[in-house]
Amino acid sequence: MKTLTGTDSALLPGIALTGAAVAVALAVSWLVPALSALTVAVVLGAVVGNLPRLPGGARSGLTWVARVPLRAGVVLLGLQLSIGQLLGLGAGTVLAVLITVVATFAGTLWLGRLLGVSRGLSLLVATGFSICGASAVAAVEGVVDREDEDVATSVAMVTVFGTVAMVALPITFAGTGVGADLGGRIAGAGVQEVAQVVAAASPLGASAVALAVVVKLSRVVLLAPLVTGVSLLGRRRTTGARPPIMPLFVAGFLVTVALRSSGVLPEFVVDASRPVTTLLLTAALFALGTAVRVGALLRTGPRAFALGTCSTILVVALATTTMGLLSR
């Protein structure tokens, strides 16, 4: 029987701590569906990371979890997407999604410079708000020159402002007479997390929810080119060790999208991948959260909050305008 090496044994305390935190995060998310398990995991990580001492020498295991399960989760995320779903939206909606994502990303970076927010935090916020919330932040953090606190700040803002949009959009739809078709497209293009998208579209009915989720997933397709672009920009800016043009896990993400699109995978495999993806990303975000230092987070807070406010207004305005004009 194979025994654990010294290196493997050193990882166990951190992995065990992560497992307990994931169980708590999933339970909280189940009790409060508006809270993503990924968001709860980051908060738990920040709490644990600011204890006087991490339990049981868990640091090496947490470092491993923040790297390996994160990349595996991003790869499996590709199984939720297919090119057929994207094409079924129509050219106008696809163009509206593309404009919204690109303009939100670029606009948030510009707003970050204007507000004096660090480049690393601005990149994380821009990615999270334009693509798919906490999952996008987790995917891009490895190719961005950022502080550890920036990851938790970004995910916290995805939660806060996504929740605001989730509540405000249905009220706006009811007041302006927006129907299920347009409302679903706006929710899918303008809200960050999938759970928040579902909640925002639910008052308009099941058809709006189904459409909103597909539009939301069409934004996720753009994760790979965006991460690659950020990585290329990082290569130009650094004189030391350069990040790869396309990280291996991003290439894996594209492979799984291709597999899902090909139709060769049984549906039960696709269904089984969803909870596994959630588990992996939740674990990774807990581990990343343990690196947060509350003092630094509070110092960044007001400017980060202003950036989140402006970025939320930007993405919702773009989603509303582009879907209204192009998806008819």
Side-chain angles (χ1 to χ4, degrees):
M1 180 181 294
K2 183 180 178 180
T3 59
L4 290 174
T5 66
T7 301
D8 293 333
S9 299
L11 300 179
L12 290 179
I15 293 173
L17 178 61
T18 300
V22 167
V24 173
L26 292 173
V28 172
S29 180
W30 181 76
L31 291 171
V32 187
L35 283 178
S36 164
L38 279 65
T39 301
V40 177
V42 168
V43 174
L44 286 174
V47 171
V48 171
N50 283 275
L51 295 174
R53 185 172 180 273
L54 276 176
R59 175 56 62 193
S60 60
L62 290 170
T63 300
W64 181 86
V65 172
R67 185 178 68 256
V68 178
L70 169 60
R71 284 153 176 73
V74 172
V75 170
L76 287 180
L77 187 63
L79 293 180
Q80 299 181 28
L81 316 171
S82 75
I83 303 302
Q85 289 175 319
L86 182 61
L87 296 177
L89 292 172
T93 298
V94 172
L95 180 59
V97 168
L98 182 60
I99 292 171
T100 299
V101 168
V102 172
T104 299
F105 182 80
T108 302
L109 287 180
W110 177 78
L111 288 165
R113 288 196 298 271
L114 192 67
L115 293 167
V117 176
S118 69
R119 180 173 180 79
L121 178 56
S122 296
L123 275 167
L124 293 173
V125 172
T127 306
F129 277 55
S130 63
I131 300 287
C132 56
S135 300
V137 172
V140 82
E141 62 85 22
V143 297
V144 171
D145 183 15
R146 45 77 183 174
E147 299 296 329
D148 292 335
E149 291 81 7
D150 293 343
V151 177
T153 302
S154 304
V155 176
M157 288 197 293
V158 165
T159 303
V160 170
F161 292 102
T163 301
V164 170
M166 176 186 77
V167 173
L169 278 179
I171 296 172
T172 305
F173 293 157
T176 57
V178 170
D181 186 82
L182 179 58
R185 294 174 196 272
I186 292 172
V191 183
Q192 287 89 343
E193 295 282 354
V194 173
Q196 296 165 345
V197 168
V198 170
S202 290
L204 296 174
S207 63
V209 172
L211 181 57
V213 170
V214 176
V215 171
K216 167 65 179 171
L217 292 178
S218 73
R219 291 163 65 191
V220 180
V221 172
L222 298 173
L223 179 62
L226 191 147
V227 173
T228 302
V230 171
S231 181
L232 282 170
L233 186 61
R235 287 170 63 88
R236 291 177 55 190
R237 287 175 169 270
T238 184
T239 56
R242 295 183 173 187
I245 293 174
M246 177 182 286
L248 186 59
F249 71 93
V250 175
F253 169 84
L254 292 176
V255 170
T256 53
V257 171
L259 279 173
R260 172 69 189 279
S261 302
S262 71
V264 299
L265 290 177
E267 195 60 32
F268 77 86
V269 174
V270 176
D271 291 339
S273 73
R274 294 189 180 99
V276 176
T277 302
T278 299
L279 284 172
L280 290 170
L281 292 177
T282 301
L285 283 168
F286 168 75
L288 288 168
T290 61
V292 171
R293 295 298 171 263
V294 171
L297 189 61
L298 292 175
R299 288 193 295 273
T300 311
R303 286 172 293 175
F305 186 85
L307 179 60
T309 301
C310 295
S311 187
T312 299
I313 294 170
L314 177 62
V315 69
V316 172
L318 284 166
T320 303
T321 303
T322 58
M323 287 299 173
L325 293 174
L326 299 173
S327 66
R328 297 176 180 179

